[in-house]
Coordinates of all heavy atoms in Angstrom, one line a residue:
A156 N 9.9 9.8 -1.0 CA 9.7 9.0 -2.3 C 9.0 9.9 -3.4 O 8.4 11.0 -3.1 CB 8.8 7.8 -2.0
T157 N 9.2 9.5 -4.5 CA 8.6 10.2 -5.6 C 7.4 9.4 -6.3 O 7.4 8.2 -5.9 CB 9.6 10.4 -6.8 OG1 10.1 9.2 -7.3 CG2 10.9 11.2 -6.3
K158 N 6.7 10.0 -7.0 CA 5.6 9.3 -7.7 C 6.1 8.3 -8.6 O 5.6 7.2 -8.7 CB 4.9 10.4 -8.5 CG 3.6 9.9 -9.2 CD 2.9 10.9 -9.9 CE 1.7 10.3 -10.8 NZ 1.0 11.4 -11.5
A159 N 7.2 8.5 -9.3 CA 7.9 7.4 -10.2 C 8.3 6.3 -9.3 O 8.2 5.1 -9.8 CB 9.0 8.1 -10.9
E160 N 8.9 6.4 -8.1 CA 9.3 5.3 -7.3 C 8.0 4.5 -6.9 O 8.1 3.2 -6.9 CB 10.1 5.8 -6.1 CG 11.4 6.4 -6.4 CD 12.0 7.1 -5.2 OE1 11.3 7.6 -4.3 OE2 13.2 7.1 -5.1
V161 N 6.9 5.1 -6.5 CA 5.7 4.3 -6.1 C 5.2 3.6 -7.3 O 4.9 2.4 -7.2 CB 4.6 5.3 -5.5 CG1 3.4 4.6 -5.3 CG2 5.2 6.0 -4.2
A162 N 5.2 4.2 -8.5 CA 4.7 3.7 -9.7 C 5.5 2.4 -10.1 O 5.1 1.4 -10.5 CB 4.6 4.6 -10.8
A163 N 6.9 2.6 -10.0 CA 7.7 1.5 -10.3 C 7.6 0.3 -9.4 O 7.6 -0.9 -9.8 CB 9.3 2.0 -10.3
W164 N 7.4 0.6 -8.0 CA 7.1 -0.5 -7.1 C 5.8 -1.2 -7.5 O 5.8 -2.4 -7.4 CB 7.1 0.1 -5.7 CG 6.5 -0.9 -4.7 CD1 7.2 -1.9 -4.1 CD2 5.2 -0.9 -4.2 NE1 6.4 -2.6 -3.3 CE2 5.2 -2.1 -3.3 CE3 4.1 -0.2 -4.4 CZ2 4.0 -2.4 -2.6 CZ3 3.0 -0.5 -3.8 CH2 2.9 -1.7 -2.9
L165 N 4.8 -0.5 -7.8 CA 3.5 -1.0 -8.1 C 3.6 -1.9 -9.3 O 3.0 -3.0 -9.3 CB 2.5 0.0 -8.3 CG 1.1 -0.3 -8.4 CD1 0.5 -1.0 -7.1 CD2 0.1 0.9 -8.6
K166 N 4.3 -1.5 -10.3 CA 4.4 -2.3 -11.5 C 5.3 -3.6 -11.2 O 4.9 -4.6 -11.7 CB 5.2 -1.5 -12.6 CG 5.4 -2.2 -13.9 CD 6.0 -1.3 -14.9 CE 6.2 -1.9 -16.2 NZ 6.8 -1.1 -17.2
K167 N 6.3 -3.5 -10.4 CA 7.0 -4.7 -10.0 C 6.2 -5.7 -9.2 O 6.2 -6.9 -9.4 CB 8.3 -4.4 -9.2 CG 9.4 -3.8 -10.0 CD 10.6 -3.5 -9.1 CE 11.7 -2.8 -9.9 NZ 12.8 -2.5 -9.0
L168 N 5.3 -5.1 -8.3 CA 4.5 -6.0 -7.4 C 3.5 -6.8 -8.3 O 3.3 -7.9 -8.0 CB 3.8 -5.1 -6.4 CG 2.8 -5.8 -5.6 CD1 3.5 -6.8 -4.7 CD2 1.9 -4.9 -4.8
K169 N 3.0 -6.1 -9.3 CA 2.0 -6.8 -10.2 C 2.5 -8.1 -10.8 O 1.9 -9.0 -11.0 CB 1.5 -5.8 -11.3 CG 0.4 -6.4 -12.0 CD -0.2 -5.5 -13.0 CE -1.4 -6.0 -13.7 NZ -2.1 -5.0 -14.6
G170 N 3.8 -8.0 -11.2 CA 4.4 -9.2 -12.0 C 5.3 -10.1 -11.0 O 5.8 -11.0 -11.5
R171 N 5.3 -9.7 -9.7 CA 6.2 -10.4 -8.9 C 5.7 -11.8 -8.4 O 4.5 -12.0 -8.2 CB 6.5 -9.6 -7.6 CG 7.8 -10.1 -6.8 CD 8.3 -9.1 -5.9 NE 7.5 -9.2 -4.6 CZ 7.2 -8.2 -3.9 NH1 7.6 -6.9 -4.2 NH2 6.5 -8.3 -2.7
V172 N 6.6 -12.8 -8.5 CA 6.2 -14.1 -8.1 C 7.1 -14.6 -6.9 O 8.1 -14.3 -6.7 CB 6.5 -15.1 -9.4 CG1 6.3 -16.5 -9.0 CG2 5.8 -14.7 -10.6
S173 N 6.3 -15.3 -6.0 CA 7.0 -15.8 -4.8 C 8.1 -16.9 -5.2 O 7.8 -17.8 -5.9 CB 5.9 -16.5 -3.9 OG 6.6 -17.2 -2.9
E174 N 9.2 -16.7 -4.7 CA 10.3 -17.7 -4.9 C 9.9 -19.0 -4.2 O 10.3 -20.1 -4.8 CB 11.6 -17.1 -4.3 CG 12.2 -15.9 -5.0 CD 13.4 -15.4 -4.4 OE1 14.0 -16.1 -3.4 OE2 13.9 -14.3 -4.6
K175 N 9.2 -18.9 -3.2 CA 8.9 -20.2 -2.4 C 7.9 -21.0 -3.1 O 8.0 -22.2 -3.2 CB 8.3 -19.7 -1.0 CG 8.6 -20.6 0.1 CD 8.0 -19.9 1.3 CE 8.5 -20.7 2.5 NZ 8.0 -20.1 3.8
T176 N 6.9 -20.4 -3.6 CA 5.6 -21.1 -4.2 C 5.5 -21.0 -5.7 O 4.9 -21.8 -6.3 CB 4.3 -20.6 -3.7 OG1 4.1 -19.2 -4.0 CG2 4.3 -20.7 -2.1
G177 N 6.2 -20.0 -6.3 CA 6.2 -19.8 -7.7 C 4.8 -19.2 -8.2 O 4.5 -19.0 -9.4
R178 N 4.0 -18.8 -7.2 CA 2.7 -18.1 -7.5 C 2.9 -16.5 -7.3 O 3.8 -16.0 -6.7 CB 1.6 -18.6 -6.5 CG 1.4 -20.0 -6.7 CD 0.2 -20.6 -5.9 NE -0.3 -19.8 -4.8 CZ -0.8 -20.2 -3.7 NH1 -0.7 -21.6 -3.4 NH2 -1.2 -19.4 -2.8
P179 N 2.0 -15.8 -8.0 CA 2.0 -14.4 -7.9 C 1.9 -13.9 -6.3 O 1.2 -14.6 -5.6 CB 0.8 -13.8 -8.6 CG 0.5 -15.0 -9.6 CD 1.0 -16.2 -8.9
V180 N 2.6 -13.0 -6.0 CA 2.7 -12.4 -4.6 C 1.2 -11.9 -4.2 O 0.8 -12.1 -3.1 CB 3.7 -11.4 -4.4 CG1 3.7 -10.7 -3.0 CG2 5.2 -11.9 -4.7
V181 N 0.5 -11.3 -5.2 CA -0.8 -10.9 -4.9 C -1.7 -11.3 -6.1 O -1.2 -11.3 -7.3 CB -0.9 -9.3 -4.7 CG1 -0.3 -8.8 -3.4 CG2 -0.4 -8.5 -5.9
N182 N -2.9 -11.7 -5.7 CA -3.8 -12.0 -6.9 C -4.5 -10.8 -7.4 O -4.2 -9.7 -6.9 CB -4.8 -13.0 -6.5 CG -5.8 -12.5 -5.3 OD1 -6.1 -11.3 -5.3 ND2 -6.2 -13.4 -4.5
A183 N -5.3 -10.9 -8.3 CA -5.9 -9.7 -9.0 C -6.7 -8.8 -8.1 O -6.5 -7.6 -8.1 CB -6.9 -10.1 -10.2
K184 N -7.4 -9.4 -7.2 CA -8.2 -8.6 -6.3 C -7.4 -8.0 -5.2 O -7.7 -6.8 -4.8 CB -9.4 -9.4 -5.5 CG -10.6 -9.8 -6.5 CD -11.3 -8.5 -6.8 CE -12.5 -8.8 -7.5 NZ -13.3 -7.5 -7.8
Q185 N -6.4 -8.7 -4.7 CA -5.5 -8.0 -3.8 C -4.7 -6.9 -4.4 O -4.6 -5.9 -3.8 CB -4.5 -9.1 -3.3 CG -5.1 -10.2 -2.4 CD -4.2 -11.4 -2.2 OE1 -3.3 -11.7 -2.9 NE2 -4.5 -12.2 -1.1
F186 N -4.3 -7.1 -5.6 CA -3.6 -6.1 -6.3 C -4.5 -4.8 -6.6 O -4.0 -3.7 -6.4 CB -3.0 -6.5 -7.7 CG -2.3 -5.5 -8.4 CD1 -0.9 -5.1 -8.0 CD2 -2.8 -4.8 -9.5 CE1 -0.2 -4.2 -8.6 CE2 -2.1 -3.8 -10.1 CZ -0.8 -3.4 -9.7
E187 N -5.8 -5.0 -6.8 CA -6.7 -3.9 -6.9 C -6.7 -3.0 -5.7 O -6.7 -1.8 -5.8 CB -8.1 -4.5 -7.2 CG -9.2 -3.5 -7.5 CD -10.5 -4.1 -7.8 OE1 -10.5 -5.3 -8.4 OE2 -11.5 -3.6 -7.4
M188 N -6.7 -3.6 -4.5 CA -6.7 -2.8 -3.3 C -5.3 -2.2 -3.1 O -5.4 -1.0 -2.8 CB -6.9 -3.8 -2.0 CG -7.0 -3.2 -0.8 SD -8.5 -2.2 -0.7 CE -8.0 -1.1 0.7
V189 N -4.3 -2.8 -3.4 CA -2.9 -2.1 -3.2 C -2.8 -1.0 -4.2 O -2.3 0.1 -3.8 CB -1.7 -3.2 -3.4 CG1 -0.5 -2.5 -3.4 CG2 -1.8 -4.2 -2.4
K190 N -3.3 -1.2 -5.3 CA -3.3 -0.2 -6.4 C -4.1 1.1 -6.0 O -3.7 2.2 -6.2 CB -3.8 -0.7 -7.8 CG -3.6 0.2 -8.9 CD -3.9 -0.4 -10.3 CE -5.3 -0.6 -10.4 NZ -5.7 -1.1 -11.9
K191 N -5.2 0.9 -5.4 CA -6.1 2.0 -5.0 C -5.3 2.9 -3.9 O -5.3 4.1 -4.0 CB -7.3 1.5 -4.3 CG -8.2 2.5 -3.7 CD -9.5 2.8 -4.1 CE -10.3 2.2 -5.1 NZ -10.9 3.3 -5.9
V192 N -4.6 2.2 -3.0 CA -3.8 3.0 -2.1 C -2.6 3.6 -2.7 O -2.5 4.8 -2.4 CB -3.4 2.1 -0.8 CG1 -2.5 2.8 0.1 CG2 -4.6 1.5 -0.1
A193 N -1.9 3.0 -3.5 CA -0.8 3.5 -4.1 C -1.0 4.7 -5.0 O -0.3 5.8 -5.1 CB 0.0 2.4 -5.0
R194 N -2.2 4.6 -5.7 CA -2.6 5.7 -6.6 C -2.9 6.9 -5.8 O -2.7 8.1 -6.2 CB -3.8 5.3 -7.5 CG -3.4 4.5 -8.6 CD -4.5 4.3 -9.6 NE -3.9 3.7 -10.9 CZ -4.7 3.1 -11.8 NH1 -6.0 3.2 -11.7 NH2 -4.2 2.6 -12.8
R195 N -3.5 6.8 -4.6 CA -3.9 7.9 -3.7 C -2.6 8.6 -3.2 O -2.4 9.8 -3.2 CB -4.8 7.5 -2.6 CG -5.0 8.6 -1.6 CD -5.7 9.8 -2.3 NE -5.9 11.0 -1.4 CZ -7.0 11.5 -1.1 NH1 -8.1 11.1 -1.6 NH2 -7.0 12.5 -0.3
V196 N -1.6 7.7 -2.8 CA -0.3 8.1 -2.4 C 0.3 9.0 -3.5 O 0.9 10.0 -3.2 CB 0.6 7.0 -2.0 CG1 2.1 7.4 -1.9 CG2 0.1 6.4 -0.7
M197 N 0.3 8.5 -4.8 CA 0.9 9.2 -5.9 C 0.3 10.6 -6.1 O 0.9 11.6 -6.3 CB 0.9 8.4 -7.1 CG 1.9 7.2 -7.1 SD 2.0 6.3 -8.7 CE 0.5 5.4 -8.7
R198 N -1.0 10.6 -5.9 CA -1.8 11.9 -6.1 C -1.4 12.8 -5.0 O -1.3 14.0 -5.3 CB -3.3 11.5 -6.0 CG -4.2 12.7 -6.2 CD -5.7 12.3 -6.4 NE -6.4 13.4 -6.3 CZ -7.6 13.6 -5.8 NH1 -8.2 12.4 -5.2 NH2 -8.2 14.7 -5.8
E199 N -1.2 12.4 -3.8 CA -0.8 13.3 -2.7 C 0.6 13.7 -2.9 O 1.0 14.8 -2.5 CB -1.0 12.6 -1.4 CG -2.5 12.5 -1.0 CD -2.9 12.0 0.3 OE1 -2.0 12.0 1.2 OE2 -4.1 11.7 0.5
I200 N 1.5 12.9 -3.4 CA 3.0 13.2 -3.6 C 2.9 14.4 -4.6 O 3.7 15.4 -4.4 CB 3.7 12.0 -4.2 CG1 4.0 11.1 -3.0 CG2 5.1 12.5 -4.7 CD1 4.6 9.7 -3.5
D201 N 2.2 14.3 -5.6 CA 2.2 15.3 -6.7 C 1.5 16.6 -6.1 O 1.7 17.6 -6.7 CB 1.3 14.8 -7.8 CG 2.1 14.2 -9.0 OD1 3.4 14.3 -8.8 OD2 1.6 13.9 -10.0
G202 N 0.8 16.5 -5.1 CA 0.0 17.7 -4.6 C -1.2 18.0 -5.4 O -1.7 19.0 -5.4
E203 N -1.6 17.0 -6.2 CA -2.8 17.2 -7.2 C -4.0 17.5 -6.4 O -4.4 16.9 -5.6 CB -3.0 15.8 -7.9 CG -4.1 15.8 -9.0 CD -4.3 14.5 -9.5 OE1 -3.2 13.8 -10.0 OE2 -5.4 14.0 -9.7
G204 N -4.5 18.7 -6.8 CA -5.8 19.1 -6.2 C -5.5 20.0 -5.0 O -6.5 20.6 -4.4
I205 N -4.3 20.1 -4.4 CA -4.1 20.9 -3.2 C -4.3 22.4 -3.5 O -4.9 23.1 -2.6 CB -2.8 20.6 -2.6 CG1 -2.7 19.3 -2.0 CG2 -2.3 21.7 -1.6 CD1 -1.3 18.8 -1.5
E206 N -3.8 22.9 -4.6 CA -3.9 24.3 -4.9 C -5.2 24.8 -4.9 O -5.6 25.9 -4.5 CB -3.2 24.6 -6.2 CG -1.7 24.3 -6.2 CD -1.4 22.9 -6.6 OE1 -2.3 22.2 -7.3 OE2 -0.4 22.3 -6.1
D207 N -6.1 24.1 -5.6 CA -7.5 24.6 -5.8 C -8.5 24.0 -4.6 O -9.7 24.1 -4.7 CB -8.0 24.3 -7.1 CG -8.1 22.8 -7.4 OD1 -7.7 22.0 -6.6 OD2 -8.3 22.4 -8.6
G208 N -7.9 23.3 -3.6 CA -8.7 22.8 -2.6 C -9.5 21.5 -3.0 O -10.6 21.3 -2.4
N209 N -9.1 20.8 -4.1 CA -9.9 19.8 -4.6 C -9.2 18.4 -4.4 O -9.4 17.5 -5.2 CB -10.1 20.0 -6.1 CG -11.2 19.3 -6.7 OD1 -12.0 18.7 -6.0 ND2 -11.2 19.0 -7.9
M210 N -8.5 18.3 -3.2 CA -7.9 17.0 -2.9 C -8.9 15.9 -2.6 O -8.8 14.8 -2.9 CB -7.0 17.2 -1.7 CG -6.3 16.0 -1.2 SD -5.3 15.0 -2.5 CE -3.8 16.0 -2.5
G211 N -10.1 16.4 -2.2 CA -11.2 15.4 -1.9 C -11.1 14.9 -0.5 O -10.2 15.3 0.3
E212 N -11.9 14.0 -0.2 CA -12.0 13.4 1.1 C -10.8 12.4 1.3 O -10.2 11.9 0.3 CB -13.3 12.5 1.2 CG -14.5 13.5 1.3 CD -14.5 14.3 2.5 OE1 -14.3 13.8 3.6 OE2 -14.9 15.5 2.4
P213 N -10.4 12.1 2.5 CA -9.4 11.1 2.7 C -9.9 9.7 2.1 O -11.1 9.5 2.1 CB -9.3 10.9 4.3 CG -9.9 12.2 4.8 CD -10.9 12.6 3.8
L214 N -9.0 8.9 1.7 CA -9.4 7.6 1.1 C -9.9 6.7 2.2 O -9.3 6.5 3.2 CB -8.1 6.9 0.6 CG -8.3 5.5 0.0 CD1 -9.2 5.6 -1.2 CD2 -7.0 5.0 -0.5
Q215 N -11.1 6.2 2.0 CA -11.8 5.4 3.0 C -12.3 4.2 2.1 O -13.1 4.3 1.2 CB -13.0 6.1 3.6 CG -12.5 7.2 4.5 CD -13.7 7.9 5.2 OE1 -14.7 7.3 5.4 NE2 -13.6 9.1 5.5
W216 N -11.8 3.0 2.3 CA -12.1 1.9 1.5 C -12.1 0.8 2.4 O -11.5 0.6 3.3 CB -10.9 1.6 0.5 CG -11.3 0.9 -0.7 CD1 -11.0 -0.3 -1.0 CD2 -12.1 1.3 -1.8 NE1 -11.5 -0.7 -2.2 CE2 -12.2 0.2 -2.7 CE3 -12.8 2.5 -2.1 CZ2 -12.9 0.4 -3.9 CZ3 -13.5 2.5 -3.2 CH2 -13.5 1.5 -4.1
C217 N -13.0 -0.2 2.1 CA -13.3 -1.4 2.9 C -12.8 -2.6 2.1 O -13.1 -2.8 1.0 CB -14.8 -1.5 3.2 SG -15.2 -3.0 4.1
M218 N -12.0 -3.4 2.9 CA -11.6 -4.7 2.3 C -12.1 -5.8 3.1 O -12.0 -5.8 4.3 CB -10.0 -4.7 2.4 CG -9.4 -6.0 1.8 SD -7.6 -6.0 1.8 CE -7.2 -5.5 3.5
H219 N -12.8 -6.7 2.5 CA -13.4 -7.9 3.3 C -13.2 -9.1 2.4 O -12.8 -9.1 1.2 CB -14.9 -7.6 3.5 CG -15.7 -7.3 2.2 ND1 -16.3 -8.3 1.5 CD2 -16.0 -6.2 1.6 CE1 -16.9 -7.9 0.5 NE2 -16.8 -6.5 0.5
G220 N -13.4 -10.2 3.2 CA -13.4 -11.5 2.5 C -13.3 -12.5 3.6 O -13.1 -12.2 4.8
G221 N -13.5 -13.8 3.2 CA -13.6 -14.8 4.2 C -12.2 -15.2 4.8 O -11.1 -14.6 4.3
P222 N -12.1 -16.1 5.7 CA -10.9 -16.5 6.3 C -9.9 -16.9 5.2 O -10.3 -17.7 4.3 CB -11.1 -17.7 7.2 CG -12.6 -17.4 7.5 CD -13.2 -16.9 6.3
G223 N -8.6 -16.6 5.2 CA -7.6 -17.1 4.3 C -7.6 -16.5 3.0 O -7.0 -16.9 2.1
T224 N -8.3 -15.3 2.7 CA -8.4 -14.7 1.4 C -7.3 -13.7 1.2 O -7.1 -13.2 0.1 CB -9.8 -14.1 1.2 OG1 -10.0 -13.0 2.2 CG2 -10.9 -15.1 1.1
G225 N -6.5 -13.4 2.3 CA -5.3 -12.6 2.1 C -5.5 -11.1 2.6 O -4.7 -10.3 2.1
K226 N -6.5 -10.8 3.4 CA -6.7 -9.4 3.9 C -5.4 -9.0 4.6 O -4.9 -7.9 4.4 CB -7.9 -9.4 4.8 CG -9.2 -9.8 4.0 CD -10.4 -9.8 5.0 CE -10.3 -10.8 6.1 NZ -10.3 -12.2 5.8
S227 N -5.0 -9.7 5.6 CA -3.8 -9.3 6.4 C -2.5 -9.3 5.5 O -1.8 -8.4 5.6 CB -3.5 -10.4 7.5 OG -4.6 -10.3 8.4
H228 N -2.5 -10.2 4.5 CA -1.3 -10.2 3.5 C -1.3 -8.8 2.8 O -0.2 -8.1 2.7 CB -1.5 -11.3 2.6 CG -0.5 -11.3 1.5 ND1 0.9 -11.6 1.7 CD2 -0.7 -11.2 0.2 CE1 1.5 -11.5 0.5 NE2 0.6 -11.3 -0.4
V229 N -2.5 -8.3 2.4 CA -2.6 -7.1 1.6 C -2.1 -5.9 2.5 O -1.4 -5.0 2.1 CB -3.9 -6.8 1.1 CG1 -4.2 -5.4 0.6 CG2 -4.2 -7.8 0.0
L230 N -2.6 -5.9 3.8 CA -2.2 -4.8 4.7 C -0.7 -4.8 5.0 O -0.2 -3.8 5.2 CB -3.1 -4.9 6.0 CG -4.6 -4.7 5.8 CD1 -5.3 -5.0 7.2 CD2 -4.8 -3.4 5.4
R231 N -0.2 -6.0 5.1 CA 1.3 -6.1 5.4 C 2.1 -5.5 4.2 O 3.1 -4.9 4.4 CB 1.7 -7.5 5.6 CG 1.6 -7.9 7.1 CD 2.3 -9.2 7.4 NE 1.7 -10.4 6.6 CZ 0.7 -11.1 7.0 NH1 0.1 -10.8 8.1 NH2 0.2 -12.1 6.2
I232 N 1.6 -5.8 3.0 CA 2.3 -5.4 1.8 C 2.2 -3.8 1.8 O 3.2 -3.1 1.4 CB 1.7 -6.0 0.5 CG1 2.3 -7.4 0.4 CG2 2.1 -5.2 -0.8 CD1 1.6 -8.2 -0.8
I233 N 1.1 -3.3 2.0 CA 0.8 -1.8 2.0 C 1.7 -1.2 3.1 O 2.4 -0.2 2.8 CB -0.7 -1.4 2.2 CG1 -1.5 -1.9 0.9 CG2 -0.8 0.0 2.4 CD1 -2.9 -1.8 1.1
R234 N 1.7 -1.7 4.3 CA 2.4 -1.1 5.4 C 3.9 -1.3 5.2 O 4.7 -0.3 5.2 CB 1.9 -1.7 6.7 CG 2.6 -0.9 7.9 CD 2.7 -1.7 9.1 NE 3.9 -2.6 9.0 CZ 4.0 -3.8 9.5 NH1 3.1 -4.2 10.3 NH2 5.1 -4.5 9.3
H235 N 4.3 -2.5 5.1 CA 5.7 -2.8 5.1 C 6.4 -2.3 3.7 O 7.5 -1.7 3.7 CB 5.9 -4.3 5.3 CG 7.5 -4.7 5.3 ND1 8.3 -4.2 6.2 CD2 8.2 -5.4 4.4 CE1 9.6 -4.7 6.0 NE2 9.5 -5.3 4.9
E236 N 5.9 -2.7 2.6 CA 6.6 -2.4 1.4 C 6.3 -1.0 0.9 O 7.3 -0.3 0.6 CB 6.1 -3.4 0.2 CG 6.6 -4.8 0.5 CD 6.4 -5.7 -0.7 OE1 6.2 -5.3 -1.9 OE2 6.4 -6.9 -0.4
L237 N 5.0 -0.5 0.8 CA 4.8 0.8 0.4 C 5.2 1.8 1.3 O 6.1 2.7 1.0 CB 3.3 0.9 0.0 CG 2.9 2.3 -0.5 CD1 3.6 2.7 -1.7 CD2 1.3 2.3 -0.8
F238 N 4.7 1.8 2.5 CA 4.9 2.9 3.4 C 6.3 2.8 4.1 O 7.0 3.9 4.2 CB 3.8 3.0 4.6 CG 2.5 3.4 4.0 CD1 1.4 2.6 4.2 CD2 2.4 4.6 3.3 CE1 0.1 3.1 3.6 CE2 1.2 5.0 2.8 CZ 0.1 4.2 3.0
E239 N 6.8 1.7 4.4 CA 8.1 1.6 5.2 C 9.2 1.5 4.2 O 10.2 2.3 4.3 CB 8.1 0.4 6.0 CG 7.2 0.6 7.3 CD 7.1 -0.7 8.2 OE1 8.0 -1.6 8.0 OE2 6.3 -0.6 9.2
K240 N 9.2 0.7 3.2 CA 10.3 0.5 2.2 C 10.4 1.7 1.3 O 11.3 2.3 1.0 CB 10.4 -0.8 1.5 CG 10.8 -1.8 2.5 CD 10.9 -3.1 1.7 CE 11.5 -4.3 2.5 NZ 11.7 -5.5 1.7
V241 N 9.3 1.9 0.4 CA 9.2 2.9 -0.6 C 9.2 4.3 -0.1 O 9.9 5.2 -0.5 CB 8.1 2.6 -1.7 CG1 8.0 3.7 -2.7 CG2 8.2 1.3 -2.2
M242 N 8.2 4.6 0.8 CA 8.0 6.0 1.3 C 9.0 6.2 2.4 O 9.1 7.4 2.9 CB 6.6 6.1 1.8 CG 5.5 5.8 0.8 SD 5.5 6.9 -0.6 CE 5.1 8.5 0.3
K243 N 9.7 5.2 3.0 CA 10.6 5.4 4.1 C 10.0 5.9 5.4 O 10.6 6.7 6.1 CB 11.8 6.3 3.7 CG 12.4 5.9 2.3 CD 13.7 5.3 2.5 CE 14.4 5.0 1.1 NZ 13.8 4.2 0.2
W244 N 8.7 5.5 5.6 CA 8.1 6.0 6.9 C 8.5 5.0 8.0 O 8.7 3.8 7.8 CB 6.6 5.9 6.7 CG 6.0 7.0 5.8 CD1 6.7 7.9 5.1 CD2 4.7 7.3 5.6 NE1 5.9 8.7 4.4 CE2 4.6 8.3 4.7 CE3 3.5 6.6 6.0 CZ2 3.4 8.8 4.2 CZ3 2.3 7.2 5.6 CH2 2.2 8.2 4.7
T245 N 8.5 5.5 9.2 CA 8.9 4.7 10.3 C 7.8 4.8 11.5 O 7.1 5.8 11.5 CB 10.2 5.0 10.9 OG1 10.2 6.4 11.3 CG2 11.4 4.8 9.9
K246 N 7.7 3.8 12.3 CA 6.8 3.9 13.4 C 7.3 5.0 14.3 O 8.5 5.1 14.5 CB 6.7 2.6 14.2 CG 6.1 1.5 13.3 CD 6.1 0.3 14.1 CE 5.8 -1.0 13.3 NZ 5.9 -2.2 14.1
M247 N 6.4 5.6 14.9 CA 6.7 6.9 15.8 C 6.3 6.4 17.3 O 6.1 7.3 18.1 CB 6.0 8.0 15.4 CG 6.4 8.6 13.9 SD 8.1 8.9 13.9 CE 8.2 10.4 14.9
F248 N 6.1 5.2 17.5 CA 5.7 4.8 18.9 C 6.3 3.5 19.3 O 6.8 2.8 18.4 CB 4.2 4.7 18.9 CG 3.6 3.6 18.1 CD1 3.4 2.3 18.4 CD2 3.2 4.0 16.8 CE1 2.9 1.4 17.6 CE2 2.6 3.0 16.0 CZ 2.5 1.7 16.4
K249 N 6.4 3.2 20.5 CA 6.9 2.0 21.0 C 5.8 1.3 21.9 O 5.0 2.0 22.5 CB 8.2 2.2 21.9 CG 9.3 2.7 21.1 CD 10.6 2.8 22.0 CE 11.7 3.3 21.1 NZ 13.0 3.3 21.9
R250 N 5.8 0.0 21.9 CA 4.9 -0.7 22.7 C 5.3 -0.6 24.2 O 6.4 -0.6 24.5 CB 4.8 -2.1 22.3 CG 4.1 -2.4 21.0 CD 4.0 -3.8 20.7 NE 3.6 -4.0 19.3 CZ 2.8 -5.0 19.0 NH1 2.4 -5.8 19.9 NH2 2.4 -5.1 17.8
R251 N 4.4 -0.4 25.0 CA 4.6 -0.4 26.4 C 4.8 -1.8 27.0 O 4.1 -2.7 26.5 CB 3.5 0.2 27.3 CG 3.4 1.7 27.0 CD 2.4 2.4 27.9 NE 1.1 1.7 27.7 CZ 0.0 1.8 28.5 NH1 0.2 2.7 29.6 NH2 -1.1 1.3 28.4
K252 N 5.8 -2.0 27.8 CA 5.9 -3.3 28.5 C 5.0 -3.5 29.6 O 4.7 -2.5 30.4 CB 7.4 -3.4 29.0 CG 8.3 -3.6 27.8 CD 9.7 -3.8 28.4 CE 10.7 -3.9 27.2 NZ 12.1 -4.1 27.7
M253 N 4.3 -4.6 29.8 CA 3.4 -4.9 30.7 C 4.1 -5.4 32.0 O 5.0 -6.1 32.0 CB 2.3 -5.8 30.3 CG 1.5 -5.3 29.2 SD 0.4 -4.1 29.8 CE -0.9 -4.1 28.7

């Protein structure tokens, strides 16, 4: 994926409305979290800071909230939409059968 593809996806997500409910897919706080991850991804795609060793620490961010605030929803959007659909990443493991 390119930085432009990630930016385009992020822009679409911000304005996207659920066909089912007519409400935004993510609220302002949820979008803030998704944007934080997407911006780091774009920075790494560009290789910004790699040449001079100034990439910085890995992104470590905490998302919290009460039951039903959409924490799992945000993680699903980041994993499924950003990493799997936009970045075309796939799982490299299979679950063991018990």
